[in-house]
């Protein structure tokens, strides 16, 4: 095992200061990339997908639970499998308390191809409370490119897709897959994928933070048991 070099405190502080310059540059680059992502065009969803969840059948619009944004995690769980993907399970373990996303008018849900009768016991085994829906017998996974073919063989891959609602109209704003999920899981990293972002006044393009008529995102942060529905 190769360990870091041992140096004095002064040498460490100098090396840390040098690295900090690069870290701040990476933060500024990430902010610029997030702004470019929020500037992407969007596509209206006119296909009627049917999901199954804890309350029975649901349309894509229902997954928003009345909120303006929806982040879907494409959880790999094929109909013939007896349990969900281990890597996807590790990802879902990292998802924080949804109250903080919901305070920014954003819902989160997992979607898998497995029938809900398989999803439900596995969800209970894992102890998860996040909304989870079955897209069994629909084109949802195919249309959002998480069930694909590689060398003429069926292939499942994880992904995240973001949607924006304008009354009863639903728009697809963003998707990313596989390595694009690296580093995701916290409230802010998921919000950074959405069209409305973190809803802070400093974000570009300007105006989206106040579009919902609410204070800036950071001003809405509470203990998770203090939010009002």
């Amino acid at each position: 095992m190769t360990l870091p070099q041992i140096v004095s405190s002064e040498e460490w502080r100098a090396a840390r200061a040098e690295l900090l310059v690069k870290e701040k540059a990476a933060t500024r680059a990430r902010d610029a990339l997030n702004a470019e992502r929020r500037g992407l065009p969007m596509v209206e969803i006119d296909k009627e997908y049917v999901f199954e969840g804890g309350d029975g059948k649901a349309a894509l619009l229902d997954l928003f639970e009345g909120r303006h944004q929806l982040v879907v995690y494409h959880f790999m769980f094929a109909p013939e499998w007896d349990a969900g993907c281990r890597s996807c399970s590790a990802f879902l373990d990292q998802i924080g308390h949804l109250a903080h996303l919901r305070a920014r008018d954003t819902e989160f849900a997992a979607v898998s191809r497995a029938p809900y009768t398989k999803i439900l016991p596995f969800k209970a085994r894992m102890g998860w409370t996040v909304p989870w829906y079955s897209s069994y017998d629909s084109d949802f996974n195919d249309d959002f490119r998480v069930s694909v073919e590689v060398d003429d063989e069926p292939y499942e891959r994880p992904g995240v897709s973001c949607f924006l609602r304008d009354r009863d109209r639903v728009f697809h704003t963003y998707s990313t897959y596989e390595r694009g999920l690296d580093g995701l899981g916290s409230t802010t990293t998921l919000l950074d994928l959405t069209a409305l972002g973190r809803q802070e006044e400093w974000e570009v393009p300007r105006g989206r933070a106040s579009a919902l008529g609410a204070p800036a995102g950071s001003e809405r942060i509470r203990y998770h048991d203090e939010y009002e529905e």
Side-chain angles (χ1 to χ4, degrees), residues 143-165:
D143 290 349
F144 289 92
R145 306 295 298 158
V146 287
S147 294
V148 295
E149 285 194 357
V150 176
D151 297 328
D152 297 323
E153 293 292 330
Y155 176 71
E156 298 282 328
R157 61 177 180 166
V160 167
S161 291
C162 300
F163 301 89
L164 182 67
R165 180 179 67 86

Side-chain angles (χ1 to χ4, degrees), residues 68-127:
H68 276 90
Q69 294 196 125
L70 170 67
V71 177
V72 167
Y73 179 62
H74 300 285
F75 192 113
M76 293 193 297
F77 195 165
E80 63 272 17
W81 298 357
D82 294 323
C85 163
R86 288 182 175 87
S87 295
C88 289
S89 297
F91 182 92
L92 216 56
D93 280 336
Q94 301 176 107
I95 297 298
H97 206 293
L98 294 185
H100 301 296
L101 269 178
R102 290 167 175 167
R104 290 172 173 84
D105 211 15
T106 303
E107 186 55 81
F108 178 93
V111 174
S112 300
R113 285 201 304 126
Y116 193 68
T117 52
K118 283 192 172 184
I119 290 174
L120 192 59
F122 184 69
K123 178 182 178 182
R125 171 189 165 188
M126 295 291 101

Side-chain angles (χ1 to χ4, degrees), residues 11 15 33 39 54-55 57 66 68 73 83 92 109 117 127 129 131 133 140 153 169 171 184-185 191 195 202 207 220:
E11 289 174 304
L33 182 62
D55 295 326
K57 301 294 184 183
H68 276 90
Y73 179 62
L92 216 56
T117 52
T129 59
Y133 297 87
F140 187 75
E153 293 292 330
R169 300 172 71 189
F171 301 89
L184 298 182
L191 288 170
W202 54 264
R220 280 179 268 163

Side-chain angles (χ1 to χ4, degrees), residues 10-76:
E10 291 76 13
E11 289 174 304
W12 182 88
R13 283 193 292 269
R16 179 67 189 96
E18 185 177 340
L19 180 62
L20 182 59
V21 173
K22 297 177 181 178
E23 288 178 336
K24 289 185 175 181
T27 297
R28 290 190 291 270
R30 183 188 64 210
D31 288 345
L33 182 62
N34 290 338
E36 191 169 347
R37 183 184 294 114
R38 289 190 295 272
L40 282 173
M42 59 187 184
V43 177
E44 186 165 7
I45 306 299
D46 52 15
K47 184 179 287 189
E48 295 184 3
Y49 299 105
V50 178
F51 305 90
E52 185 175 2
D55 295 326
K57 301 294 184 183
L60 182 58
L61 184 65
D62 298 322
L63 273 58
F64 284 77
E65 295 288 347
R67 297 179 173 87
H68 276 90
Q69 294 196 125
L70 170 67
V71 177
V72 167
Y73 179 62
H74 300 285
F75 192 113
M76 293 193 297

